[in-house]
Amino acid sequence: MNDSLNFRLTNHETLKLAGKVGDSVSLAEANWDLADFYKRETLADSAYYHYLAAQKIYSALGKTNESSTMFNNMAIAQSSVKDHTGSEINTINAIELLKPLNNYQQLFNSYTNLGAISVELKEYDRAIDYYNIALDYQNKLAGDHTLESATMSNIGYVYLDKGDYVKAISYFKTVLGEHGLRHRNPKLYALTLNNFAFSKFKSGENKNVESEFLEALKVRDSLQDVTGLSLTHHDLAEYYLSQSDTTLATNQAKKALGYAEIADNNERILKTLQLLSKIDSKNSSTYNQRYITLSDSLQEEERQIRNKFARIRFETDEYIAENEILESETQLWAGIAFAVFLLGASAIVIYDQRSKNQKLRFQQEQQAANQEIFNLMLGQKQKEEEGKKSEQKRISEELHDGVLGSMMGARMVLTGLNKKNDSEAEIQRMKAIDVLQNVEKEVREISHALSHAAYEKMHNFILSLQDLLKTVGNTANIHCSLVYDKEWEWDSLNGEIKINTYRMVQESLQNSVKHAQCKNVTVTFVNKENTLLVTIADDGKGFRKTSRKRGIGMRNIASRIEKLNGEYHIESSPGNGTTVTLEIPVSYSDHPVHQTTKGLQPFEET
């Protein structure tokens, strides 16, 4: 009744109910009906989807005949969008199912489709072989031989497309010579007559060609065969063009284009646009542009539909495979779940044990590192004490040998002159006074030297950092700078802070050397509002923070900074280097001398 709306509503309800009650046969038939509807609406991908759904159900039910029919229908849908390879595969699938059944009608249809595919692929010899096999199966069918005439006409078209017009004419003559063909099958008659006339025209024989074309037009017009009318008008246009009658040729070509557009036959539209561009030179560029635009859009659309076919096959096969796996392995799920549970539990235990072992190794390494730092600081302290003792010995020697000797000499002179008042004694007293003045001067110099040494601070912590930067700089051949407040009592910091800070700086330097490919590294120490701010900045290649995983080095820094109740930040981007900032609350090992953060002094080591 051509009531598309009610068909879709009823079909949808059928699919839903059949699925609910598990009626596979009705479900397959409803999909078949819906596929035929989409085929009529020229929605090849939707038709293919529902033919495939029906085929899978029929295959599962063991209905081989219906399954093969669906394969043939899928092949026709694929052929309509030039998916020739896929169409050929599904046709062969149908043939494999049909041969044991001796279903001659379906086998005829399958080989006829293979012949049509071969023509599209310009494989003419194979096409003729397939059509001859189709004829063999048709001869096994009882009754009407209309199919034989159609196949003979198809073989004639193969020779026409191949350019062998003599053989094409002989086949078309045979078909047209059948008694009563025009009344029994007027559509086949008109098609064969049109191709017969076109073959004669192409072979150079123009006798009765025009009248035969007009006869084919008349029959097709009576049948309202819009696609056929488009073909005949197109062929007439070519004929009139060969006769140099461009007016009639243009008129026929425009009619062909109009009918092709009504029939929505894109292939015929393209061929007619090509012909019009040859006939109508004034509008040639317009027709060529329309041709290019339509051709490109059709190729893209056909490509997309072919991709849909592949995706539909894949998704359907995947869905069926999943269902089969679920059905066949239902009894194994409990065992699999238990095995997975055991495996997961074992993995958790192993991971936990490995984490504990790793943590223990880290603590041992950290303890050894801390011991190394303490040894280094003790060594520096020992060197400082040795320096102090050496300085004390030097001052003692100067006081004993210089100051004390001079004072004893002056005392003895003055003692001897106590009872003398002559001019010679006066001269000797003046000399003794000069000696005492020299002693006074020497004592003042020693005092000044001691005072300067008292204010000159020896920073063991800073010295350790300087040694670290010097070692890294020399090893990696990079320029290292240490900037710090020279007036600050760095050694008064809590030992835990010094040790962990040293290690965090060391780890950051190692990261700069290993990953940054830098030339310069600057380490800055600032004590600001009872917060120790440490920055390690390099001029390396940097990185995207979101794409970088935390290695063990960064985890160690996070662990150490957490112990000190501090925070750390990393700023980096590709090409802009990397800056690591440590913020550590300050605590002291004894009573420090608080200074303001001023006069930062750089230490540089290359």
Side-chain angles (χ1 to χ4, degrees):
M1 296 174 65
N2 291 321
D3 189 348
S4 299
L5 178 60
N6 277 319
F7 164 75
R8 289 300 307 277
L9 290 172
T10 309
N11 181 266
H12 176 75
E13 190 68 17
T14 303
L15 287 169
K16 184 172 71 174
L17 292 171
K20 186 178 292 186
V21 301
D23 185 352
S24 298
V25 174
S26 295
L27 192 62
E29 290 179 352
N31 272 291
W32 188 348
D33 289 342
L34 187 55
D36 284 344
F37 169 79
Y38 283 127
K39 179 183 176 182
R40 190 182 69 178
E41 297 295 321
T42 65
L43 296 172
D45 54 337
S46 298
Y48 178 89
Y49 175 85
H50 289 285
Y51 281 135
L52 180 59
Q55 187 275 323
K56 296 296 182 184
I57 296 171
Y58 284 132
S59 178
L61 293 173
K63 291 182 174 292
T64 307
N65 191 59
E66 289 82 353
S67 180
S68 64
T69 302
M70 295 304 103
F71 273 127
N72 273 331
N73 288 339
M74 285 189 288
I76 293 169
Q78 289 172 291
S79 183
S80 68
V81 293
K82 303 188 186 311
D83 183 10
H84 301 308
T85 302
S87 180
E88 189 174 32
I89 290 170
N90 277 325
T91 305
I92 292 171
N93 288 336
I95 291 171
E96 290 176 349
L97 293 176
L98 290 166
K99 278 187 175 181
L101 302 177
N102 292 326
N103 187 330
Y104 302 135
Q105 179 65 61
Q106 285 288 358
L107 284 167
F108 170 83
N109 293 339
S110 297
Y111 280 103
T112 299
N113 190 46
L114 284 177
I117 294 168
S118 299
V119 173
E120 290 290 331
L121 296 174
K122 306 300 181 185
E123 296 174 351
Y124 299 113
D125 292 339
R126 286 183 63 189
I128 292 170
D129 289 341
Y130 285 136
Y131 281 134
N132 282 326
I133 294 173
L135 274 177
D136 290 341
Y137 282 114
Q138 193 276 332
N139 290 331
K140 295 177 182 180
L141 294 171
D144 188 11
H145 287 274
T146 304
L147 295 177
E148 181 179 358
S149 301
T151 305
M152 295 289 287
S153 182
N154 286 338
I155 295 174
Y157 180 77
V158 174
Y159 285 115
L160 171 60
D161 202 43
K162 186 180 179 181
D164 189 344
Y165 304 117
V166 175
K167 282 191 177 181
I169 290 170
S170 67
Y171 274 93
F172 293 137
K173 266 186 178 179
T174 301
V175 176
L176 292 171
E178 287 189 18
H179 180 70
L181 178 65
R182 177 170 182 174
H183 300 289
R184 285 188 292 105
N185 195 337
K187 189 171 184 177
L188 176 60
Y189 171 78
L191 173 64
T192 306
L193 181 61
N194 183 94
N195 289 338
F196 175 65
F198 192 72
S199 299
K200 287 169 62 179
F201 152 60
K202 283 292 186 178
S203 68
E205 179 188 343
N206 291 327
K207 183 180 179 181
N208 298 327
V209 167
E210 183 178 12
S211 61
E212 286 163 351
F213 275 133
L214 294 174
E215 172 70 9
L217 270 179
K218 182 179 178 182
V219 176
R220 283 177 157 169
D221 186 54
S222 68
L223 297 172
Q224 295 184 346
D225 181 4
V226 179
T227 301
L229 286 169
S230 173
L231 173 63
T232 304
H233 281 297
H234 175 277
D235 292 349
L236 261 174
E238 280 201 44
Y239 170 75
Y240 288 133
L241 180 62
S242 71
Q243 304 299 312
S244 301
D245 191 341
T246 55
T247 302
L248 277 176
T250 302
N251 182 45
Q252 291 295 323
K254 287 182 177 179
K255 286 182 179 179
L257 181 62
Y259 281 120
E261 289 172 341
I262 293 171
D264 200 21
N265 189 325
N266 291 313
E267 185 176 356
R268 181 57 49 195
I269 292 172
L270 288 174
K271 289 183 178 179
T272 308
L273 287 171
Q274 273 187 313
L275 181 60
L276 280 168
S277 67
K278 294 178 184 177
I279 301 171
D280 190 352
S281 57
K282 291 182 180 180
N283 298 310
S284 177
S285 60
T286 302
Y287 291 126
N288 279 328
Q289 186 58 46
R290 282 186 63 187
Y291 176 87
I292 292 169
T293 303
L294 178 59
S295 178
D296 290 345
S297 67
L298 285 176
Q299 288 180 13
E300 180 61 27
E301 183 179 350
E302 287 169 357
R303 188 183 302 112
Q304 290 177 356
I305 292 176
R306 288 196 294 270
N307 291 339
K308 280 185 180 179
F309 287 158
R311 190 164 60 250
I312 290 168
R313 283 195 302 271
F314 172 75
E315 290 175 352
T316 304
D317 291 342
E318 189 178 53
Y319 174 76
I320 291 171
E322 287 176 357
N323 283 341
E324 289 176 353
I325 290 171
L326 287 173
E327 291 174 3
S328 63
E329 297 184 356
T330 301
Q331 296 178 353
L332 297 177
W333 275 114
I336 292 173
F338 183 68
V340 169
F341 173 76
L342 286 179
L343 184 62
S346 301
I348 291 171
V349 170
I350 292 170
Y351 178 78
D352 182 62
Q353 190 62 40
R354 288 184 62 185
S355 298
K356 288 179 180 178
N357 292 339
Q358 187 176 6
K359 185 176 180 181
L360 181 59
R361 283 197 302 271
F362 171 72
Q363 289 174 347
Q364 290 172 345
E365 290 172 0
Q366 190 174 32
Q367 185 176 0
N370 290 344
Q371 187 63 44
E372 183 182 348
I373 293 290
F374 275 122
N375 292 338
L376 181 62
M377 290 185 172
L378 286 173
Q380 292 294 335
K381 196 69 175 177
Q382 185 177 353
K383 289 180 181 179
E384 182 183 356
E385 291 298 326
E386 289 175 356
K388 286 181 180 180
K389 288 178 181 180
S390 176
E391 186 66 14
Q392 287 171 351
K393 183 178 180 182
R394 185 187 66 80
I395 294 170
S396 173
E397 289 172 350
E398 288 188 6
L399 288 174
H400 183 275
D401 296 339
V403 177
L404 186 58
S406 296
M407 288 184 69
M408 286 179 65
R411 180 176 63 77
M412 290 175 67
V413 170
L414 290 174
T415 302
L417 296 174
N418 275 342
K419 297 179 181 180
K420 295 181 180 181
N421 290 318
D422 54 12
S423 58
E424 182 65 27
E426 189 66 30
I427 292 171
Q428 291 298 324
R429 286 191 187 95
M430 289 302 296
K431 288 182 179 180
I433 290 171
D434 288 339
V435 170
L436 290 173
Q437 285 178 341
N438 288 334
V439 169
E440 179 185 353
K441 182 179 179 182
E442 190 171 355
V443 170
R444 185 180 294 110
E445 288 176 354
I446 293 171
S447 175
H448 286 173
L450 290 171
S451 176
H452 179 72
Y455 285 100
E456 188 70 29
K457 299 175 180 62
M458 297 295 291
H459 300 300
N460 290 326
F461 178 54
I462 295 299
L463 288 174
S464 300
L465 290 169
Q466 289 173 342
D467 287 343
L468 173 63
L469 266 67
K470 184 175 182 179
T471 301
V472 171
N474 290 337
T475 303
N477 193 25
I478 62 175
H479 183 271
C480 296
S481 300
L482 175 62
V483 181
Y484 66 97
D485 183 359
K486 202 171 183 181
E487 297 300 319
W488 188 263
E489 291 284 350
W490 295 103
D491 284 331
S492 65
L493 287 170
N494 182 282
E496 190 74 11
I497 291 178
K498 289 188 284 188
I499 292 167
N500 285 289
T501 302
Y502 178 92
R503 279 303 180 197
M504 288 188 283
V505 170
Q506 184 183 42
E507 184 61 44
S508 298
L509 289 173
Q510 288 175 356
N511 285 339
S512 295
V513 171
K514 286 195 296 184
H515 306 298
Q517 299 178 4
C518 61
K519 298 296 182 184
N520 299 282
V521 180
T522 301
V523 180
T524 304
F525 275 72
V526 175
N527 190 339
K528 185 176 182 180
E529 297 177 356
N530 281 333
T531 299
L532 175 59
L533 300 178
V534 182
T535 58
I536 305 95
D538 65 55
D539 60 356
K541 63 181 180 181
F543 60 90
R544 288 188 179 90
K545 292 196 291 183
T546 55
S547 65
R548 194 172 181 89
K549 296 181 179 179
R550 289 209 316 175
I552 187 168
M554 296 313 298
R555 291 200 297 272
N556 288 347
I557 289 177
S559 174
R560 292 180 185 277
I561 202 77
E562 185 179 354
K563 288 181 183 179
L564 301 177
N565 296 320
E567 297 179 355
Y568 81 100
H569 310 281
I570 299 176
E571 293 298 328
S572 184
S573 61
N576 294 317
T578 302
T579 299
V580 179
T581 303
L582 311 175
E583 298 181 11
I584 304 166
V586 172
S587 61
Y588 304 94
S589 58
D590 48 28
H591 300 291
V593 179
H594 293 280
Q595 306 275 351
T596 57
T597 306
K598 62 179 181 178
L600 294 179
Q601 301 295 324
F603 161 76
E604 298 187 357
E605 196 66 52
T606 306

